[in-house]
Amino acid sequence: MSTVSLQKLRKTYGKIVAVEGVDLEIAEGELIVLLGPSGCGKSTTLRMVAGLEAITSGTLHIGDRDVTRLEPKDRDIAMVFQNYALYPHKTIRANMAFGLKMRGMPKDEAAQHVRDAAEMLDIVHLLDRKPGQLSGGQMQRVALGRALVRDPAIFLLDEPLSNLDAKLRARMREEIAMLQRRIGKAMLYVTHDQTEAMTLASRIVIMRDGIVQQIGSPLEVYDRPANAFVAGFIGSPEMNIMEGAVADGRLSLGGDIVFNVPAGTASGAVTAGIRPEALRQETDGVPFEVQGIEQLGSQTLFVGMMGDHRIRAMTARRDDIALGDTIELGVDPAAIHLFDRESGERRGAAGEG
Ligand code: ADP
């Protein structure tokens, strides 16, 4: 049974359509990430679930209740914001208990909830401090703790890690994933960071211009992007995307650049996508002139030209290739993504079931 159900959820501001008909069923214990570039409508979607934005049309159910028109406090949700919104003069304990007090929970019971959440987040030693005495990571944990004490049907998180430095982000990401599995509650999580989405999500909802492009597990959207936009958005380093044409089981990308595609692939103009990590050095491959080398430790990223296309190729660590070298690259035919040139939609290839 789904915990939260969004049906044709739509939001307009005058003539601006911020969110166009989102359908989504969130199961108990699922961590759903709303992902997309700035302005795609992910925050608006989250804020409609939270009750912070009125829903223009469509319905929202939490459990078996229609909460479309209910106030935030009556929805059984808890929200974690990007800015921590803590009261500076109250202790962490008082900050965490505040929402419970407002809801009329008896003091002893509230104190117990705060203790339980603090233990889960390993912040018991911080409870008597004030927000000004905490680091960014500790503040983030407190912000989570304040949501956790509420024990809601769903947690809503809007870019919760964007104020943290890269190292702390990665650590908090792991913590949120572990915490979420432990508490087994649904989470709806907004980010523009595809790495965050890939590492955290049970399923990713990829949005563009207010419209859902694809919903799938991280590997589903990585392996079978529904269109060229998703293909370019998911994966790091970014997929190489090139215009080309398929004829007789071969993909031509201009000049002498030709790759085999699975037998039976329909002919026509295409947008082709090849992930940097799918390219490999091969005798009798396509020439690639190395113009940039990034040593990442365990892997090496090459940037350079393949005919007129500027592309990226990622290999296991190599230190025997120099700037200016020309190497030859090949790719497994089944690893080439083909999209309709006009619509950008994924084309069924022979290699796909
Ligand atoms: P995201 O979170 O993906 O960056 P938003 O949900 O904030 O995107 O915004 C989606 C679209 O709605 C954008 O085009 C944005 O400009 C527009 N929008 C958001 N809030 C308002 C508002 N209060 N008034 C008018 N337009 C808005």
Side-chain angles (χ1 to χ4, degrees):
M1 191 195 101
S2 61
T3 298
V4 178
S5 167
L6 288 65
Q7 283 157 353
K8 299 200 167 35
L9 220 55
R10 187 164 192 272
K11 178 72 185 179
T12 55
Y13 296 101
K15 286 206 177 76
I16 300 172
V17 181
V19 175
E20 180 66 274
V22 173
D23 286 308
L24 178 64
E25 301 288 326
I26 306 174
E28 202 169 310
E30 255 197 315
L31 199 168
I32 299 283
V33 174
L34 297 177
L35 175 71
S38 181
C40 72
K42 48 194 192 299
S43 293
T44 303
T45 303
L46 186 88
R47 291 169 64 82
M48 284 195 283
V49 176
L52 300 172
E53 295 285 351
I55 293 168
T56 306
S57 63
T59 58
L60 174 68
H61 285 80
I62 296 181
D64 49 14
R65 293 191 309 148
D66 183 340
V67 301
T68 312
R69 304 280 162 221
L70 295 190
E71 293 290 314
K73 66 177 174 47
D74 299 324
R75 289 189 179 197
D76 200 14
I77 50 114
M79 182 137 178
V80 180
F81 293 94
Q82 184 178 115
N83 56 358
Y84 314 113
L86 298 173
Y87 298 101
H89 303 297
K90 289 185 195 289
T91 61
I92 298 308
R93 188 190 306 278
N95 264 289
M96 285 174 67
F98 187 72
L100 302 178
K101 213 165 116 191
M102 293 300 286
R103 282 175 175 73
M105 185 184 282
K107 218 170 162 187
D108 286 356
E109 197 184 333
Q112 186 61 46
H113 278 249
V114 169
R115 258 195 312 274
D116 290 348
E119 267 168 27
M120 205 175 257
L121 288 161
D122 199 18
I123 52 172
V124 175
H125 60 295
L126 304 177
L127 286 175
D128 294 314
R129 292 199 198 168
K130 302 266 173 69
Q133 298 167 307
L134 303 187
S135 70
Q138 290 170 333
M139 291 262 253
Q140 186 53 60
R141 245 175 249 154
V142 170
L144 276 170
R146 216 174 26 165
L148 213 56
V149 294
R150 301 264 318 280
D151 193 28
I154 184 165
F155 291 95
L156 307 175
L157 296 91
D158 191 357
E159 304 251 4
L161 305 184
S162 59
N163 291 335
L164 306 178
D165 64 55
K167 208 165 162 180
L168 197 49
R169 271 178 94 108
R171 215 175 71 210
M172 286 303 294
R173 204 166 69 202
E174 288 166 13
E175 285 190 17
I176 289 177
M178 283 192 291
L179 184 68
Q180 195 267 345
R181 281 195 295 271
R182 195 140 34 104
I183 59 181
K185 285 289 173 73
M187 269 191 191
L188 186 59
Y189 186 111
V190 163
T191 183
H192 63 272
D193 179 343
Q194 70 88 32
T195 307
E196 220 164 280
M198 289 294 282
T199 51
L200 274 176
S202 319
R203 287 186 298 153
I204 303 177
V205 177
I206 300 149
M207 298 183 69
R208 178 195 200 182
D209 296 339
I211 299 170
V212 172
Q213 305 290 303
Q214 187 170 9
I215 302 179
S217 71
L219 288 181
E220 278 164 8
V221 296
Y222 176 86
D223 287 340
R224 290 177 59 93
N227 57 40
F229 171 79
V230 174
F233 205 80
I234 295 280
S236 174
E238 213 173 291
M239 188 188 274
N240 300 296
I241 296 200
M242 298 158 281
E243 307 270 273
V246 172
D248 305 325
R250 287 150 75 84
L251 166 68
S252 305
L253 296 171
D256 297 330
I257 307 171
V258 175
F259 289 108
N260 289 324
V261 288
T265 303
S267 300
V270 294
T271 298
I274 304 178
R275 294 209 179 274
E277 56 274 31
L279 287 161
R280 55 185 184 220
Q281 195 173 10
E282 205 171 85
T283 44
D284 297 330
V286 171
F288 168 69
E289 189 201 336
V290 177
Q291 295 181 333
I293 300 176
E294 290 180 22
Q295 292 294 1
L296 305 171
S298 63
Q299 290 168 306
T300 305
L301 175 65
F302 297 97
V303 185
M305 299 305 288
M306 188 187 262
D308 292 335
H309 304 284
R310 188 173 174 77
I311 67 156
R312 294 173 218 85
M314 181 99 128
T315 64
R317 174 190 172 131
R318 294 285 297 265
D319 50 15
D320 56 341
I321 296 170
L323 286 178
D325 284 358
T326 294
I327 58 175
E328 288 175 44
L329 297 178
V331 62
D332 178 351
I336 299 178
H337 300 262
L338 297 175
F339 305 98
D340 186 272
R341 177 88 69 80
E342 295 275 302
S343 67
E345 293 302 307
R346 185 178 193 84
R347 274 162 137 243
E352 291 188 346

